[in-house]
Amino acid sequence: MSPSIGDMEPAEAESAYFNEYPPPKALPKHEALARAFVERHVEANRRVVLVTSGGTTVPLEAQTVRFIDNFSAGTRGATSAEYFLEQGYAVIFLHRQYSLLPYSRHYSHSTNCFLDFMDEAAPTSDSENPDHGRIVVRSEYQDQMRDVLRKYRYAKQNNLLLLLPFTTVSEYMFELRSLAKLMRPLGSNALFYLAAAVSDFFIPRSRMAEHKIQSSEIPANFSDDEAVGSNDIYTGENAPEPPKAGKKLVINLDPVPKFLHRLVDGWAPEGSMVVSFKLETDPSLLVYKAKTALQRYSHHLVIGNLLSTRKWEVVFITPDPPHERWIRVPKARRSKSISGVEDQVGLAEIKKGRDGSGPESENPSSDTSGDGIEIESIIIPELVKLHGNMIHKHTEASRG
Ligand code: 9Z3
């Protein structure tokens, strides 16, 4: 039996994985766009960040009817992209198709439906149709929408934001590999911010059903030459006596190869900064898992977050002291979150000699207006400082 990809060395796993899948149809077009984008910003000596965002799908069939997905809506990625743009970065936004996008995210939630921001004004005497008023933004939203619209238009007009979509986990991998290589001319001005929730498991192409997995037996005397025999249909383990209601489907998934090694050691530009995210649900595991990831891949920063508190706190795990640094939205500035559990803020921090003043006292903010702030407005400026330090060190080192 040939070894599974999970048992191979990183470079071997890379060719085995990428040989198994056809590249995404949109890849050549995305590459052309990214090449031109990178060239423009190399010329301007601008920093460029690749932000990955949203979940990935894991198809169960080659002609995909069903797939496995995850919870990520792409809030972290889309919000972070806006703050990177504010910091003067150009952003390649590699996102799950239909997940949240920078700027338009403010109006695309079902709870924030753009139609609720609009109104029809009273018809005026010069209206073409006396029944038709102009469509306008409601007066209470004018300031907020003007602000978002201006930033959006600025990013677009100055070619600072490149939106590239993917859907499946393999499309994500192909795109990431190509983009990282295309970013090489940027050198240390390149930053990788891997916020996408990438599936850890997949069905290798060689074991994947071509057609829709059947939930009931195909009759033995079914003799259409075009049809697939019921024995050929991938359904995993069938119950010995299939219940009348239908077959059981057992899905057998392989681990997705960890390409962070390849990104850090091969694809990404020399001197660039690589930041990955670690997501956990168990507070007692978060710091341990984030530290292990940093050691394993020898990159520059792991940002750890818990599913339940991710809007209010994250931990920066770095190779240099202080090694573990918590970033929190002060208590008074935390926005409500439907899925969040505020009681869990602080639980993942291993208490060692803390002054007992409580997690909410960190990152004190002089601004006490009480309005909610987004944690990305704290994360990104901190990260930009770290990236600046790295660029500085790299420039010094190359001067000798
Ligand atoms: C994250 O941890 C992101 O912060 C979230 C953002 C996915 C939690 P939302 O889209 O959520 O704003 O709702 N991303 C990385 C998650 C991940 O899959 N990391 C891998 C892991 O934990 C390592 S690359 O093993």
Side-chain angles (χ1 to χ4, degrees), residues 54 71-77 194-198 200 258 260 276-280 303 305 307 310-311:
F71 72 96
S72 172
T75 313
R76 174 82 79 224
L194 308 175
V198 182
D200 286 325
K258 296 287 185 195
L260 204 45
S276 72
F277 275 77
K278 174 57 73 182
L279 171 69
E280 290 299 334
I303 303 183
N305 55 177
L307 186 66
R310 69 189 191 280
K311 311 263 184 203

